[in-house]
Amino acid sequence: GDETRWTVRGMLGSAPDALTIPEGSEGRALTASLEAAAMRSQMEGAARRAGVARVAGLIPELTGDVHLLAGDPAQGGGVDALGRNWNVGAGFTLALPLFDRQQGRVREFVAEFDGLMERYVGLGIDLRSLVRAARNRLASTHARARQYDAVILPARAQVLEQTVLQYNAMQTGVLQLLEARRAQLDAELSAIETRRAYWTAAAA
């Protein structure tokens, strides 16, 4: 559709005079990380499981049952239309958590949580390190691009201009003139490369 109708905007622009670095980029990188969000969800799940196991280890377990038995009418009890004797009974079991308080399961979930927390902290350190490296790369490429645009290219153009004047006055030869022109072209190519490096770093 329309998303395929793109065109090249033009020549690669110069680096801006002032460098703008977004504030709080490290925190925003950690918030936007899908891997960090997955780890946070896993830690929440492990914490909930540990809490449930801890509570389950403190609550007595109570089970009950009701049974109905059909037997011989001579044994007493109610008799139905078919002459069967019905005995009704009930019972319950109470298990007190004296020895098994789910300590093993609680420690398992706590260890899982601790491991996830350590990995989460490590991931945060890695992400912040990547952001700092990208920020330093942006500052470095911006400084180099501004140096080429503001100092090196004008100096090379002035050298070439003066060399042309010296050549017209027969004070220098054609080889010196070609060398000055070659140096200017090399500086222009290097300036284009530094611009590319700056815009790549800015996009990153």
Side-chain angles (χ1 to χ4, degrees):
D2 293 338
E3 294 180 358
T4 62
R5 298 174 185 171
W6 55 272
T7 58
V8 177
R9 188 165 58 182
M11 296 294 292
L12 191 63
S14 300
D17 295 337
L19 179 63
T20 302
I21 297 178
E23 294 293 333
S25 53
E26 295 181 19
R28 289 194 292 119
L30 187 59
T31 303
S33 172
L34 297 178
E35 185 177 359
M39 279 193 181
R40 285 194 295 270
S41 298
Q42 291 174 356
M43 284 191 295
E44 291 175 3
R48 288 195 184 102
R49 289 192 295 273
V52 169
R54 188 176 288 113
V55 171
L58 299 175
I59 298 176
E61 182 180 353
L62 178 64
T63 57
D65 69 296
V66 177
H67 52 272
L68 181 65
L69 300 176
D72 186 5
Q75 295 178 353
V79 179
D80 63 4
L82 299 178
R84 288 179 298 185
N85 178 12
W86 291 97
N87 294 314
V88 179
F92 69 92
T93 302
L94 178 64
L96 298 176
L98 298 178
F99 301 104
D100 183 15
R101 291 182 298 182
Q102 304 285 333
Q103 297 100 323
R105 291 180 59 80
V106 170
R107 289 182 180 176
E108 174 188 354
F109 295 136
V110 169
E112 180 185 359
F113 178 84
D114 291 342
L116 288 170
M117 176 60 78
E118 291 298 325
R119 287 198 292 273
Y120 182 76
V121 171
L123 176 63
I125 292 172
D126 291 342
L127 285 174
R128 282 188 282 270
S129 176
L130 289 173
V131 172
R132 284 194 295 271
R135 187 171 54 213
N136 293 338
R137 187 165 55 250
L138 178 63
S140 174
T141 55
H142 177 266
R144 290 204 316 270
R146 291 306 303 161
Q147 179 73 9
Y148 267 97
D149 291 340
V151 178
I152 297 177
L153 289 180
R156 285 299 179 187
Q158 187 174 6
V159 167
L160 179 61
E161 181 182 354
Q162 293 299 321
T163 305
V164 169
L165 291 177
Q166 293 293 323
Y167 177 76
N168 289 338
M170 296 185 185
Q171 298 294 320
T172 187
V174 67
L175 292 180
Q176 287 82 6
L177 179 62
L178 292 175
E179 176 65 22
R181 178 58 178 157
R182 185 192 63 78
Q184 184 192 29
L185 291 175
D186 288 343
E188 290 176 354
L189 291 174
S190 297
I192 292 173
E193 178 61 24
T194 57
R195 288 179 188 175
R196 183 200 63 78
Y198 165 75
W199 288 114
T200 301

